[in-house]
Amino acid sequence: VYSVKPRMIRAEGPVPMLPRSEVAALIDAARRGRVGDAPPEGSVWSVHAHLNQQGLARAIEARDAEALGALLSELHLGPVVKGFDQAGPETATLDADPMQRNAQGRRIYHTLMRLGTGLGVVRAWNPEQAENFPYLDEDATADAVDAIREALRLAGDFPRTTEGAWGIDTAYGLLSYRQALTLGYLREVDAHLARTGRRYGHVVEIGGGLGRMAFNLARRAETPVTVVDLPLVGVMQSAFLTANGVPNTLWPRELDASPGHVNLVSAFDTAALERLEAPLVLNFDGLVEMTRETQDGYFDLVRRLGGDLLSVNHEAARMTGQGVRQEWRIGRIAELGLAAQPRAAFLEREGYIAQSFLAPRG
């Protein structure tokens, strides 16, 4: 079994993710939301929520801090985060097979090099000819990570999750595949700002995964951040951000406007967003997994707020949860009056496209 020079490591904590007192406070906050509501039938997430996230809802309903704390502490050992982070089946494979760990190490290293290439801080290879990159001959992890962090204005360590997460070892902690991708998304945010010359008083992310992108944006503390997501996912995001020292509010009635603060808004109640003016709205690999009606609801929200949309999504149609082929066409948001900007390949993921849609101003 050959070894990849970027060293792969496995997270052994924090366990528990949060102390019992903080889990109990999270339950109190969570019960204000509609955690029992299901995503719309026909979406990918309707099936996922039904199969994998019911334990979270039951623990919250029963006010069982011990059960909820255990689920949060085992996110990478079970199926709860399947689809938006490293879930249990992937962890089991990586734990058992050195070849799979090597492959994952190459995957993360590959993503890191593409990220550096897109930022212009790594010039060692052609990203269109990945097979030519000498994975086994060199390890530029340390230099690339330092240069990337400087270019992206990042401070502090990479976020910690819980037991079982795999990633490459860096001076700033474990760098997982999903975290590397969110740094690519952050590069696209900076590219959007550079292209448009626009500045924003608030950033809104539709669908935030485990909260890694919100973590990156909050650490820069340049604007407040709001994540709109399904309630049970919002509970996990709050736990993840809290465990990493990021101030956040679960389902606020009014958005906290402090730079670096993360507001977690339920997709079933977006009233708190209505006072925003011309925010930057982000979506990374999420709109294409929603029903058309849900997409149109978000598009209308962007229009009402006078916001701009930055999308990074794949170009292939997806099967929905009901097995019905979806023709999502994110570009149809232009029919609401937003100007579609030129599209660009997202270097970190094959087949993914970055595109901005701008609202009229002035």
Side-chain angles (χ1 to χ4, degrees):
V1 177
Y2 64 84
S3 295
V4 178
K5 288 192 176 180
R7 189 170 80 94
M8 285 286 285
I9 57 174
R10 185 186 194 273
E12 300 303 331
V15 177
M17 188 178 195
L18 292 174
R20 186 185 179 93
S21 60
E22 293 188 0
V23 177
L26 180 61
I27 288 177
D28 287 342
R31 286 175 62 86
R32 297 198 311 267
R34 294 158 54 182
V35 293
D37 287 11
E41 288 295 327
S43 71
V44 170
W45 294 104
S46 62
V47 175
H48 171 59
H50 175 71
L51 293 177
N52 300 320
Q53 295 183 346
Q54 290 306 300
L56 294 170
R58 288 193 294 269
I60 293 169
E61 181 63 27
R63 294 184 179 271
D64 191 336
E66 184 174 348
L68 181 60
L71 287 169
L72 294 172
S73 296
E74 297 178 353
L75 289 179
H76 303 307
L77 304 178
V80 174
V81 293
K82 184 178 179 181
F84 61 87
D85 213 281
Q86 179 193 315
E90 186 178 0
T91 303
T93 299
L94 294 171
D95 284 349
D97 190 345
M99 287 290 286
Q100 291 295 330
R101 291 199 292 274
N102 287 332
Q104 184 76 335
R106 292 198 305 276
R107 184 188 193 196
I108 299 170
Y109 192 49
H110 189 140
T111 302
L112 190 68
M113 293 298 106
R114 285 181 175 269
L115 171 60
T117 299
L119 286 166
V121 298
V122 173
R123 314 288 291 195
W125 65 301
N126 180 352
E128 301 306 319
Q129 295 177 313
E131 68 277 10
N132 293 336
F133 190 70
Y135 287 115
L136 306 180
D137 293 336
E138 64 182 66
D139 177 9
T141 299
D143 290 342
V145 166
D146 284 341
I148 288 166
R149 288 170 58 85
E150 181 178 357
L152 292 176
R153 308 188 302 286
L154 293 175
D157 290 340
F158 293 131
R160 298 197 308 160
T161 54
T162 59
E163 182 182 3
W166 279 96
I168 59 175
D169 192 15
T170 78
Y172 308 96
L174 181 152
L175 177 62
S176 70
Y177 175 63
R178 293 286 178 174
Q179 176 62 15
L181 284 182
T182 65
L183 298 183
Y185 299 150
L186 192 60
R187 174 178 55 78
E188 290 299 333
V189 171
D190 287 348
H192 169 92
L193 298 175
R195 284 194 306 267
T196 64
R198 294 187 170 186
R199 295 296 176 264
Y200 303 89
H202 208 107
V203 174
V204 177
E205 184 181 10
I206 298 172
L210 190 56
R212 296 181 186 277
M213 187 60 181
F215 170 90
N216 295 335
L217 292 166
R219 277 293 176 88
R220 298 216 299 199
E222 295 172 348
T223 67
V225 180
T226 291
V227 180
V228 184
D229 218 320
L230 297 172
L232 290 176
V233 182
V235 171
M236 287 185 279
Q237 291 161 353
S238 182
F240 172 79
L241 294 169
T242 300
N244 281 284
V246 175
N248 66 91
T249 306
L250 187 62
W251 303 323
R253 292 181 176 84
E254 294 186 6
L255 301 182
D256 190 313
S258 306
H261 190 94
V262 179
N263 302 283
L264 300 168
V265 170
S266 168
F268 298 128
D269 183 7
T270 59
L273 275 66
E274 295 297 339
R275 292 187 179 181
L276 291 180
E277 294 183 4
L280 174 60
V281 181
L282 312 173
N283 179 256
F284 306 117
D285 196 24
L287 284 170
V288 296
E289 296 179 338
M290 301 174 188
T291 63
R292 187 161 183 144
E293 292 76 16
T294 301
Q295 294 164 15
D296 286 345
Y298 281 123
F299 290 163
D300 186 59
L301 176 66
V302 174
R303 178 191 61 80
R304 293 200 314 271
L305 300 179
D308 298 336
L309 173 67
L310 170 61
S311 159
V312 179
N313 278 280
H314 55 69
E315 287 298 278
R318 279 252 177 113
M319 301 300 287
T320 69
Q322 301 299 311
V324 179
R325 186 166 292 280
Q326 202 172 4
E327 186 183 355
W328 46 270
R329 288 198 311 111
I330 287 174
R332 76 178 184 277
I333 192 175
E335 298 168 7
L336 298 179
L338 280 75
Q341 302 302 293
R343 306 160 76 198
F346 178 65
L347 293 176
E348 289 76 9
R349 300 185 84 176
E350 185 176 355
Y352 280 64
I353 295 295
Q355 188 171 24
S356 298
F357 301 86
L358 304 184
R361 284 192 183 180

